[in-house]
Amino acid sequence: MELRELKYFLAVAREENISKAAEALFVTQPNLSRQMQNLEKEIGKPLFIRGSRKITLTEAGQLLRKRAEEILELYEKTEKELHAPSNDVSGDVHIGGGESYVMQLIAKTARDVQREYPNVKIHIFSGDSATVSERLDKGLIDFGIFIEPFDVSRYDYLRLPLSDTWGVLMRKDSPLAEKESIAPEDLWDKPLIRSRQSLDKTMFTAWFRKSTAELNVVATGNLLYNMSLLAEEGLGYVVGLDKIINTSGSSNLCFRPLRPKLESHLDIAWKKYQQLPKCAEIFLRRLQAYL
């Protein structure tokens, strides 16, 4: 497979139509159709389900789409790093992590780096620990921010000096809003909205003293903002981190910490035995100065 073929394939997958993809790529429709047929022959599996008006991806096509996006992203990242002038600090720093107020430390570091080196660009990818780890392993990001108990021992890493506090996000008129903190038994009979990137199963079960199957989990999500909208509509109680959703002023929501208290530390990690791009090294040195 050539990079050109992958770009063509992604255009067809995006447009869901050969004619529209050909127009976007400035190639003829017969040429693009032939390229896609040759790609299917090379792989040995059909990539498209060709309808009368719309093209959809087969299971193999969906897998190739994911891998093609990663390959092209890594290619572009590598090309930029190789073409960066040796006497000039410029380039891109890619950082992945979940929602946490500790990201403010990353933001302050990014601000200072960019003030001194205006040609350095910062790119933030949001995702859970598994997705961030996968992108870090593949070289798609330079740094990953991980919340414990994620095991960062296979990376080089720094422990960040701040920690996240776990608690419950709920409407201000909820019965539990009158409490200063929330105990496990307070939630045993309540509808829960659980983050898919929140407490791991062991910590979750240990704190609740019940298995997930015994709790009334009515919804899940991976972005606390979206889950806060569910809580605001009265769907349930969100178990999540503090200082991400603004609960002050006219907000209908409030946050109460867990009791017993539960905190998680965060680490910034990068691949062992790799040469970081110059701009990523500068970012790391500046962050170390903060720490």
Side-chain angles (χ1 to χ4, degrees):
M1 286 181 287
E2 298 179 0
L3 290 175
R4 185 189 71 256
E5 291 177 319
L6 295 179
K7 290 179 181 179
Y8 285 4
F9 167 77
L10 288 177
V12 175
R14 180 178 61 252
E15 299 293 340
E16 299 181 336
N17 183 282
I18 287 286
S19 298
K20 291 182 180 179
E23 185 178 345
L25 294 167
F26 301 102
V27 299
T28 64
Q29 180 178 340
N31 180 36
L32 182 57
S33 296
R34 186 168 56 253
Q35 294 273 0
M36 294 301 96
Q37 290 170 0
N38 292 338
L39 183 59
E40 288 180 312
K41 289 179 181 178
E42 182 180 352
I43 292 175
K45 294 180 179 180
L47 300 172
F48 306 103
I49 301 173
R50 294 168 172 84
S52 58
R53 295 186 178 182
K54 182 179 178 181
I55 290 178
T56 56
L57 296 179
T58 63
E59 185 175 346
Q62 292 172 0
L63 175 60
L64 180 60
R65 181 178 190 170
K66 183 176 186 296
R67 296 292 180 245
E69 289 172 341
E70 293 172 348
I71 290 169
L72 291 175
E73 186 177 348
L74 182 58
Y75 173 80
E76 292 171 0
K77 183 175 183 292
T78 304
E79 190 176 41
K80 287 182 180 179
E81 291 171 0
L82 291 175
H83 291 166
S86 57
N87 59 347
D88 180 35
V89 178
S90 62
D92 302 86
V93 180
H94 297 261
I95 305 168
E99 294 177 297
S100 168
Y101 92 102
V102 178
M103 289 295 287
Q104 289 180 342
L105 181 60
I106 303 301
K108 290 179 180 179
T109 305
R111 175 202 62 195
D112 288 354
V113 169
Q114 216 165 40
R115 283 178 178 174
E116 188 171 352
Y117 305 100
N119 292 326
V120 173
K121 298 180 180 179
I122 309 296
H123 306 274
I124 302 296
F125 170 82
S126 298
D128 59 20
S129 294
T131 305
V132 171
S133 177
E134 180 183 5
R135 294 181 69 85
L136 185 58
D137 292 340
K138 291 178 178 178
L140 299 174
I141 57 176
D142 302 302
F143 303 103
I145 311 295
F146 298 103
I147 185 169
E148 65 176 350
F150 185 85
D151 182 13
V152 294
S153 61
R154 70 177 187 271
Y155 302 113
D156 286 327
Y157 66 94
L158 289 173
R159 170 60 53 91
L160 298 176
L162 305 173
S163 60
D164 275 322
T165 299
W166 293 95
V168 179
L169 192 67
M170 69 191 90
R171 286 181 57 92
K172 289 179 178 177
D173 57 4
S174 299
L176 296 184
E178 299 176 0
K179 294 178 174 289
E180 293 184 0
S181 58
I182 305 300
E185 54 271 21
D186 294 330
L187 298 173
W188 285 349
D189 62 344
K190 298 296 189 294
L192 301 179
I193 303 169
R194 183 184 172 187
S195 170
R196 290 197 294 270
Q197 62 186 46
S198 65
L199 293 165
D200 86 328
K201 291 182 180 179
T202 302
M203 291 177 63
F204 196 85
T205 302
W207 186 84
F208 270 102
R209 304 197 300 273
K210 284 181 179 289
S211 67
T212 304
E214 295 177 282
L215 299 171
N216 182 23
V217 179
V218 298
T220 63
N222 62 347
L223 291 176
L224 192 57
Y225 174 76
N226 290 338
M227 291 186 292
S228 74
L229 298 179
L230 298 179
E232 192 167 3
E233 292 299 324
L235 190 67
Y237 296 80
V238 178
V239 180
L241 299 175
D242 193 10
K243 298 180 181 178
I244 298 176
I245 302 299
N246 182 10
T247 58
S248 62
S250 61
S251 172
N252 293 324
L253 299 174
C254 64
F255 182 91
R256 298 292 182 264
L258 299 181
R259 185 183 76 252
K261 188 175 183 179
L262 197 58
E263 293 183 323
S264 291
H265 293 284
L266 288 93
D267 302 295
I268 181 168
W270 59 98
K271 290 176 70 174
K272 288 184 176 181
Y273 317 118
Q274 77 158 351
Q275 179 65 45
L276 288 170
K278 183 185 294 186
C279 53
E281 288 182 351
I282 289 173
F283 180 90
L284 182 59
R285 288 200 300 269
R286 186 59 56 89
L287 179 61
Q288 287 172 319
Y290 269 122
L291 303 185

